[in-house]
Amino acid sequence: MDYALLRNSLLFKNMEENEIRSCLRVFKARELDCQKNDLILAAGDNTNSLGLVLSGSVIIERNDLWGNRIEICEVEKLRLFADTYAVLNNETLLFDVRAESSCRVLLLQIGDINTLARLREKWTVKFVCNLLMISSLDNLELSEELFHTKSKTMRGRILSYLNTVALRTHKREFDIPYNRQQMADYLNVERSALSGELSRMQKDGIIKYRKNHFILL
């Protein structure tokens, strides 16, 4: 196990190697080597395990009974998946987790997190605080996405997102971390429609842009 790698993750932040060893033992950690498209967790199942991506990436996707597939997000190296379900323990998974490429993942059987209190070890406080921090960051990210998609117009969604980036960077000129397809997915719009609206906004003198570089006028 690469403990130096684990210490770089938010899940094991501020934890020493001996504490991580103890944590992995308590949560019956197991490492999986996955090939592209391997199913790691399946919708409809219950799970008490959260996953930490050690290398490569995994895809969270929704497949319905009629054969429709929606890719929800990509989980990259040192990010978690299914952590909420692992803590709740008896909730039914509403999505599949699939290997996006060859990857390694670490699964921890969290179960009832209240059992940690009975261990009376210092690392348990660090671990729970880290989980809370990750959950808060995920909720903030989801809330922002819902905030942007609240507008009924595409222009409203674009302006909401760009305004948030401007507030965060304290600048009117900045790069966004998305290509055009990723931006369309984030705002829940069609890529071609997004490109057309950006072009109209530029003609209207609201923004200037080139690829992922934007200037708010």
Side-chain angles (χ1 to χ4, degrees):
M1 185 64 66
D2 187 346
Y3 293 98
L5 175 66
L6 295 182
R7 291 186 67 185
N8 285 329
S9 71
L10 283 179
L11 185 62
F12 297 109
K13 183 179 179 181
N14 297 324
M15 293 177 65
E16 301 299 329
E17 182 175 321
N18 64 310
E19 294 177 317
I20 297 175
R21 287 180 182 272
S22 180
C23 177
L24 298 184
R25 184 183 68 254
V26 167
F27 292 134
K28 301 177 183 178
R30 58 193 179 101
E31 192 173 335
L32 300 179
D33 286 308
C34 304
Q35 300 303 312
K36 183 178 176 65
N37 293 325
D38 282 355
L39 186 63
I40 301 170
L41 295 175
D45 292 343
N46 290 348
T47 183
N48 63 355
S49 297
L50 64 78
L52 174 67
V53 180
L54 300 178
S55 67
S57 61
V58 304
I59 292 293
I60 307 296
E61 62 183 25
R62 183 78 179 269
N63 296 284
D64 65 25
L65 298 175
W66 298 272
N68 299 308
R69 176 184 177 273
I70 299 175
E71 184 178 310
I72 299 173
C73 67
E74 180 179 356
V75 182
E76 298 177 331
K77 184 178 178 180
L78 297 184
R79 296 291 299 269
L80 294 185
F81 59 87
D83 42 309
T84 300
Y85 288 90
V87 173
L88 295 176
N89 199 27
N90 60 352
E91 289 293 319
T92 302
L93 274 173
L94 299 179
F95 52 75
D96 294 324
V97 181
R98 193 177 300 277
E100 195 274 336
S101 60
S102 296
C103 64
R104 288 187 303 122
V105 300
L106 184 69
L107 295 180
L108 304 178
Q109 296 181 31
I110 302 298
D112 185 359
I113 202 168
N114 292 318
T115 59
L116 287 177
R118 296 194 288 273
L119 293 176
R120 302 192 179 192
E121 295 187 39
K122 289 182 179 179
W123 67 263
T124 61
V125 176
K126 296 179 184 179
F127 186 81
V128 172
C129 287
N130 290 343
L131 264 184
L132 179 60
M133 176 62 70
I134 292 169
S135 178
S136 299
L137 289 171
D138 287 344
N139 285 336
L140 180 60
E141 186 175 327
L142 179 59
S143 296
E144 284 186 3
E145 188 171 347
L146 290 173
F147 184 72
H148 301 324
T149 57
K150 191 72 174 176
S151 175
K152 295 181 180 179
T153 68
M154 188 177 307
R155 180 168 296 197
R157 295 184 182 194
I158 296 170
L159 289 174
S160 176
Y161 171 62
L162 295 179
N163 182 71
T164 296
V165 179
L167 289 173
R168 187 159 285 154
T169 60
H170 303 288
K171 297 178 180 177
R172 285 178 171 265
E173 183 172 352
F174 47 76
D175 292 329
I176 65 171
Y178 302 131
N179 61 33
R180 200 64 74 239
Q181 183 60 60
Q182 292 168 331
M183 185 179 182
D185 291 341
Y186 180 70
L187 297 177
N188 196 25
V189 297
E190 292 292 333
R191 176 180 176 175
S192 58
L194 172 65
S195 297
E197 185 59 36
L198 287 173
S199 179
R200 285 188 289 273
M201 291 171 67
Q202 183 158 255
K203 288 179 180 178
D204 290 344
I206 299 173
I207 61 172
K208 286 185 179 180
Y209 71 93
R210 184 176 184 278
K211 295 185 178 180
N212 70 331
H213 185 78
F214 285 81
I215 302 174
L216 309 188
L217 304 178

Coordinates of all heavy atoms in Angstrom, one line a residue, residues 14-73:
N14 N -3.9 14.8 7.4 CA -3.4 15.0 8.8 C -3.3 13.7 9.5 O -3.1 13.7 10.8 CB -4.2 16.0 9.6 CG -4.2 17.4 9.0 OD1 -3.2 17.8 8.5 ND2 -5.3 18.0 9.0
M15 N -3.3 12.5 8.9 CA -3.2 11.2 9.5 C -1.8 10.7 9.3 O -1.3 10.7 8.2 CB -4.3 10.3 9.0 CG -5.7 10.7 9.4 SD -7.0 9.6 8.8 CE -6.6 8.1 9.7
E16 N -1.2 10.1 10.3 CA 0.1 9.4 10.2 C 0.0 8.0 9.6 O -1.1 7.5 9.6 CB 0.8 9.3 11.6 CG 1.0 10.7 12.3 CD 1.9 11.6 11.5 OE1 2.8 11.1 10.8 OE2 1.7 12.8 11.6
E17 N 1.1 7.5 9.2 CA 1.0 6.2 8.5 C 0.4 5.1 9.4 O -0.4 4.3 9.0 CB 2.4 5.7 8.1 CG 2.4 4.4 7.3 CD 3.7 4.0 6.7 OE1 4.4 4.9 6.2 OE2 4.1 2.8 6.8
N18 N 0.8 5.1 10.7 CA 0.3 4.1 11.6 C -1.2 4.3 11.8 O -2.0 3.3 12.0 CB 1.0 4.1 13.0 CG 0.8 5.4 13.7 OD1 0.9 6.5 13.2 ND2 0.4 5.4 15.0
E19 N -1.7 5.5 11.8 CA -3.1 5.7 11.9 C -3.9 5.3 10.7 O -5.0 4.7 10.8 CB -3.4 7.2 12.1 CG -2.8 7.8 13.4 CD -3.0 9.3 13.6 OE1 -2.8 10.0 12.6 OE2 -3.4 9.7 14.7
I20 N -3.3 5.5 9.5 CA -3.9 5.0 8.3 C -4.0 3.5 8.3 O -5.0 2.9 7.9 CB -3.1 5.5 7.0 CG1 -3.2 7.1 7.0 CG2 -3.7 4.9 5.7 CD1 -2.4 7.7 5.9
R21 N -2.9 2.8 8.7 CA -2.9 1.4 8.8 C -4.0 0.9 9.7 O -4.7 -0.1 9.3 CB -1.5 0.9 9.4 CG -0.3 1.0 8.4 CD 0.9 0.5 9.1 NE 2.1 0.7 8.3 CZ 2.5 -0.2 7.4 NH1 1.8 -1.4 7.3 NH2 3.6 0.0 6.7
S22 N -4.2 1.5 10.8 CA -5.2 1.1 11.7 C -6.6 1.3 11.1 O -7.5 0.5 11.2 CB -5.1 1.9 13.0 OG -6.2 1.6 13.9
C23 N -6.8 2.4 10.4 CA -8.0 2.8 9.7 C -8.4 1.7 8.7 O -9.5 1.2 8.6 CB -7.9 4.1 9.1 SG -9.4 4.6 8.1
L24 N -7.4 1.3 7.9 CA -7.6 0.4 6.8 C -7.9 -1.0 7.4 O -8.8 -1.7 6.8 CB -6.3 0.2 5.9 CG -5.9 1.5 5.2 CD1 -4.7 1.2 4.3 CD2 -7.0 2.1 4.3
R25 N -7.3 -1.3 8.5 CA -7.7 -2.6 9.2 C -9.1 -2.6 9.7 O -9.8 -3.6 9.5 CB -6.7 -2.9 10.3 CG -6.9 -4.2 11.0 CD -5.9 -4.4 12.2 NE -6.3 -3.5 13.3 CZ -5.6 -2.5 13.6 NH1 -4.5 -2.1 12.9 NH2 -5.9 -1.7 14.6
V26 N -9.5 -1.5 10.4 CA -10.8 -1.5 11.0 C -11.9 -1.5 9.9 O -12.9 -2.2 10.1 CB -11.0 -0.2 11.8 CG1 -12.4 0.1 12.2 CG2 -10.1 -0.3 13.1
F27 N -11.7 -0.8 8.8 CA -12.7 -0.8 7.7 C -12.5 -1.9 6.6 O -13.1 -1.8 5.6 CB -12.6 0.6 7.0 CG -13.1 1.7 7.9 CD1 -12.4 2.9 8.0 CD2 -14.3 1.6 8.7 CE1 -12.8 3.9 8.9 CE2 -14.7 2.6 9.5 CZ -14.0 3.7 9.6
K28 N -11.6 -2.9 7.0 CA -11.5 -4.0 6.1 C -11.2 -3.6 4.6 O -11.9 -4.0 3.7 CB -12.7 -5.0 6.2 CG -13.0 -5.5 7.6 CD -14.2 -6.3 7.6 CE -14.5 -6.8 9.0 NZ -15.8 -7.5 9.1
A29 N -10.2 -2.7 4.5 CA -9.9 -2.2 3.2 C -9.5 -3.2 2.2 O -8.8 -4.2 2.6 CB -8.9 -1.1 3.3
R30 N -9.9 -3.1 0.9 CA -9.4 -4.0 -0.1 C -9.2 -3.1 -1.4 O -9.9 -2.2 -1.7 CB -10.4 -5.1 -0.4 CG -11.8 -4.7 -0.8 CD -12.7 -5.9 -0.7 NE -14.1 -5.6 -1.0 CZ -14.6 -5.8 -2.2 NH1 -13.9 -6.5 -3.2 NH2 -15.9 -5.5 -2.5
E31 N -8.1 -3.5 -2.1 CA -7.7 -2.8 -3.3 C -8.2 -3.6 -4.5 O -8.0 -4.8 -4.6 CB -6.2 -2.6 -3.3 CG -5.7 -1.6 -4.3 CD -4.2 -1.3 -4.1 OE1 -3.7 -1.5 -3.0 OE2 -3.6 -1.0 -5.1
L32 N -8.8 -2.9 -5.5 CA -9.2 -3.5 -6.7 C -8.4 -3.0 -7.9 O -8.2 -1.8 -8.0 CB -10.7 -3.3 -6.9 CG -11.7 -3.7 -5.9 CD1 -13.1 -3.4 -6.3 CD2 -11.6 -5.2 -5.7
D33 N -8.0 -3.9 -8.7 CA -7.4 -3.5 -10.0 C -8.5 -3.7 -11.1 O -9.0 -4.8 -11.3 CB -6.2 -4.4 -10.4 CG -5.0 -4.0 -9.6 OD1 -4.7 -2.8 -9.5 OD2 -4.4 -4.9 -8.9
C34 N -8.9 -2.6 -11.7 CA -10.1 -2.7 -12.7 C -9.6 -2.3 -14.1 O -8.7 -1.5 -14.3 CB -11.2 -1.7 -12.2 SG -11.7 -1.9 -10.5
Q35 N -10.3 -3.0 -15.0 CA -10.0 -2.7 -16.4 C -11.2 -1.8 -16.9 O -12.2 -1.7 -16.3 CB -10.0 -4.0 -17.3 CG -8.9 -4.9 -16.8 CD -7.5 -4.3 -16.9 OE1 -7.2 -3.6 -17.9 NE2 -6.7 -4.4 -15.8
K36 N -11.0 -1.1 -18.1 CA -12.0 -0.2 -18.6 C -13.3 -0.9 -18.7 O -13.4 -2.0 -19.2 CB -11.5 0.3 -20.0 CG -12.4 1.3 -20.7 CD -11.9 1.7 -22.0 CE -12.8 2.7 -22.7 NZ -13.0 3.9 -22.0
N37 N -14.4 -0.2 -18.3 CA -15.8 -0.6 -18.3 C -16.1 -1.7 -17.2 O -17.3 -2.1 -17.2 CB -16.2 -1.2 -19.7 CG -16.2 -0.1 -20.7 OD1 -16.5 1.1 -20.4 ND2 -15.8 -0.4 -22.0
D38 N -15.2 -2.1 -16.4 CA -15.5 -3.0 -15.3 C -16.5 -2.3 -14.4 O -16.4 -1.1 -14.0 CB -14.3 -3.3 -14.5 CG -13.4 -4.4 -15.1 OD1 -13.9 -4.9 -16.2 OD2 -12.3 -4.7 -14.6
L39 N -17.6 -3.0 -13.9 CA -18.6 -2.5 -13.0 C -18.0 -2.7 -11.6 O -17.8 -3.8 -11.1 CB -19.9 -3.3 -13.2 CG -21.1 -2.8 -12.4 CD1 -21.4 -1.3 -12.8 CD2 -22.3 -3.7 -12.6
I40 N -17.9 -1.6 -10.9 CA -17.4 -1.6 -9.5 C -18.6 -1.7 -8.5 O -18.5 -2.5 -7.6 CB -16.5 -0.4 -9.3 CG1 -15.4 -0.3 -10.3 CG2 -16.0 -0.3 -7.8 CD1 -14.6 0.9 -10.3
L41 N -19.6 -0.8 -8.7 CA -20.8 -0.8 -7.8 C -22.0 -0.7 -8.8 O -21.9 0.0 -9.8 CB -20.8 0.3 -6.8 CG -19.7 0.3 -5.7 CD1 -19.8 1.6 -4.9 CD2 -19.8 -0.9 -4.8
A42 N -23.1 -1.4 -8.4 CA -24.2 -1.5 -9.3 C -25.4 -0.8 -8.7 O -25.7 -1.0 -7.5 CB -24.5 -3.0 -9.7
A43 N -26.2 -0.1 -9.6 CA -27.4 0.5 -9.1 C -28.4 -0.6 -8.7 O -28.4 -1.7 -9.2 CB -28.0 1.3 -10.3
G44 N -29.1 -0.3 -7.6 CA -30.1 -1.2 -7.1 C -29.6 -2.0 -5.9 O -30.3 -2.6 -5.1
D45 N -28.2 -2.0 -5.7 CA -27.6 -2.7 -4.6 C -27.5 -1.7 -3.4 O -27.6 -0.5 -3.5 CB -26.2 -3.2 -5.0 CG -26.2 -4.3 -6.0 OD1 -27.3 -4.9 -6.2 OD2 -25.2 -4.5 -6.6
N46 N -27.3 -2.3 -2.2 CA -27.0 -1.5 -1.0 C -25.5 -1.7 -0.8 O -24.9 -2.8 -1.1 CB -27.7 -2.0 0.2 CG -29.2 -1.7 0.2 OD1 -29.6 -0.9 -0.7 ND2 -30.0 -2.3 1.0
T47 N -24.8 -0.7 -0.4 CA -23.4 -0.8 -0.1 C -23.0 -0.2 1.2 O -23.6 0.8 1.6 CB -22.5 -0.2 -1.3 OG1 -21.1 -0.4 -1.0 CG2 -22.8 1.3 -1.4
N48 N -22.0 -0.8 1.9 CA -21.5 -0.1 3.1 C -20.1 0.3 2.8 O -19.3 0.7 3.8 CB -21.5 -1.0 4.3 CG -20.7 -2.3 4.1 OD1 -20.1 -2.5 3.1 ND2 -20.6 -3.1 5.2
S49 N -19.7 0.3 1.5 CA -18.3 0.7 1.2 C -18.2 2.0 0.4 O -19.0 2.2 -0.5 CB -17.7 -0.4 0.3 OG -17.6 -1.6 1.0
L50 N -17.2 2.8 0.8 CA -16.9 4.0 0.0 C -15.7 3.6 -0.8 O -14.9 2.8 -0.4 CB -16.7 5.2 0.8 CG -15.6 5.3 1.8 CD1 -14.2 5.6 1.2 CD2 -15.9 6.4 2.8
G51 N -15.5 4.3 -1.9 CA -14.3 4.1 -2.8 C -13.4 5.3 -2.9 O -13.9 6.4 -3.0
L52 N -12.2 5.0 -2.9 CA -11.1 6.1 -3.2 C -10.4 5.6 -4.4 O -9.8 4.5 -4.5 CB -10.2 6.2 -2.0 CG -9.0 7.1 -2.1 CD1 -9.5 8.6 -2.2 CD2 -8.0 7.0 -0.9
V53 N -10.3 6.5 -5.4 CA -9.6 6.2 -6.6 C -8.1 6.4 -6.4 O -7.7 7.5 -6.1 CB -10.1 7.1 -7.8 CG1 -9.3 6.8 -9.1 CG2 -11.6 6.9 -8.0
L54 N -7.3 5.4 -6.6 CA -5.9 5.5 -6.4 C -5.1 5.8 -7.7 O -4.1 6.4 -7.7 CB -5.4 4.1 -5.8 CG -5.9 3.7 -4.5 CD1 -5.3 2.3 -4.1 CD2 -5.7 4.7 -3.4
S55 N -5.7 5.4 -8.8 CA -5.1 5.7 -10.1 C -6.2 5.6 -11.2 O -7.2 4.9 -11.0 CB -3.9 4.8 -10.4 OG -4.3 3.5 -10.7
G56 N -6.0 6.3 -12.3 CA -7.0 6.3 -13.3 C -8.2 7.1 -12.9 O -8.1 8.0 -12.1
S57 N -9.4 6.7 -13.4 CA -10.6 7.4 -13.0 C -11.8 6.4 -13.2 O -11.7 5.4 -13.9 CB -10.8 8.6 -13.8 OG -10.9 8.3 -15.2
V58 N -12.9 6.8 -12.5 CA -14.2 6.0 -12.6 C -15.3 6.9 -13.1 O -15.2 8.1 -12.9 CB -14.5 5.2 -11.3 CG1 -13.4 4.4 -10.9 CG2 -14.9 6.2 -10.2
I59 N -16.3 6.3 -13.6 CA -17.5 7.1 -14.1 C -18.7 6.7 -13.3 O -19.0 5.6 -13.0 CB -17.8 6.7 -15.6 CG1 -16.7 7.2 -16.5 CG2 -19.1 7.3 -16.0 CD1 -16.6 8.7 -16.6
I60 N -19.4 7.8 -12.8 CA -20.7 7.6 -12.2 C -21.8 7.8 -13.3 O -21.8 8.8 -13.9 CB -21.0 8.6 -11.1 CG1 -19.8 8.6 -10.1 CG2 -22.3 8.4 -10.4 CD1 -19.6 7.4 -9.3
E61 N -22.6 6.7 -13.5 CA -23.5 6.8 -14.6 C -24.9 6.2 -14.2 O -25.0 5.4 -13.3 CB -23.0 6.1 -15.8 CG -22.8 4.6 -15.6 CD -22.2 3.9 -16.8 OE1 -21.6 4.5 -17.7 OE2 -22.4 2.6 -16.9
R62 N -25.9 6.7 -14.9 CA -27.3 6.3 -14.6 C -27.8 5.5 -15.8 O -27.8 6.1 -16.9 CB -28.2 7.5 -14.3 CG -29.6 7.2 -13.9 CD -29.8 6.7 -12.5 NE -31.1 6.4 -12.2 CZ -32.0 7.3 -11.6 NH1 -31.6 8.5 -11.4 NH2 -33.2 6.9 -11.3
N63 N -28.2 4.3 -15.6 CA -28.8 3.5 -16.7 C -30.2 3.1 -16.3 O -30.4 2.4 -15.3 CB -27.9 2.2 -16.9 CG -26.5 2.5 -17.4 OD1 -26.3 2.9 -18.6 ND2 -25.5 2.4 -16.5
D64 N -31.2 3.5 -17.1 CA -32.6 3.2 -16.7 C -33.1 1.9 -17.4 O -32.4 1.3 -18.2 CB -33.5 4.4 -17.0 CG -33.6 4.7 -18.5 OD1 -33.4 3.8 -19.3 OD2 -34.0 5.9 -18.8
L65 N -34.3 1.6 -17.1 CA -34.9 0.3 -17.5 C -35.1 0.3 -19.0 O -35.3 -0.7 -19.6 CB -36.2 0.1 -16.8 CG -36.1 -0.1 -15.3 CD1 -37.5 -0.2 -14.7 CD2 -35.3 -1.3 -14.9
W66 N -35.1 1.5 -19.7 CA -35.4 1.6 -21.1 C -34.1 1.7 -21.9 O -34.1 2.0 -23.1 CB -36.3 2.8 -21.4 CG -37.6 2.7 -20.7 CD1 -38.7 2.1 -21.2 CD2 -37.9 3.1 -19.4 NE1 -39.7 2.1 -20.2 CE2 -39.3 2.8 -19.1 CE3 -37.2 3.8 -18.4 CZ2 -39.9 3.0 -17.9 CZ3 -37.8 4.0 -17.1 CH2 -39.2 3.7 -16.9
G67 N -33.0 1.5 -21.3 CA -31.7 1.5 -22.0 C -31.0 2.8 -22.2 O -30.0 3.0 -22.9
N68 N -31.6 3.9 -21.5 CA -31.0 5.2 -21.6 C -29.8 5.3 -20.6 O -29.9 4.9 -19.5 CB -32.0 6.3 -21.3 CG -33.2 6.2 -22.3 OD1 -33.0 6.2 -23.5 ND2 -34.4 6.1 -21.7
R69 N -28.7 5.9 -21.1 CA -27.5 6.1 -20.2 C -27.2 7.6 -20.1 O -27.2 8.3 -21.1 CB -26.3 5.4 -20.8 CG -25.0 5.6 -20.1 CD -23.9 4.9 -20.8 NE -22.6 5.2 -20.1 CZ -21.8 6.2 -20.4 NH1 -22.2 7.1 -21.2 NH2 -20.7 6.4 -19.7
I70 N -27.0 8.0 -18.8 CA -26.6 9.4 -18.6 C -25.3 9.3 -17.7 O -25.3 8.7 -16.6 CB -27.7 10.1 -17.8 CG1 -29.0 10.2 -18.6 CG2 -27.2 11.5 -17.5 CD1 -30.1 10.8 -17.9
E71 N -24.3 9.9 -18.2 CA -23.0 10.0 -17.5 C -23.2 11.2 -16.5 O -23.3 12.4 -16.9 CB -21.8 10.2 -18.4 CG -20.5 10.2 -17.7 CD -19.3 10.4 -18.6 OE1 -19.3 9.6 -19.6 OE2 -18.5 11.3 -18.4
I72 N -23.1 10.9 -15.2 CA -23.3 12.0 -14.2 C -22.0 12.7 -14.0 O -21.9 14.0 -14.0 CB -23.8 11.4 -12.9 CG1 -25.1 10.7 -13.2 CG2 -23.9 12.4 -11.8 CD1 -25.7 9.9 -12.0
C73 N -20.9 12.0 -13.7 CA -19.6 12.7 -13.5 C -18.5 11.7 -13.6 O -18.7 10.5 -13.5 CB -19.6 13.4 -12.1 SG -19.6 12.3 -10.7

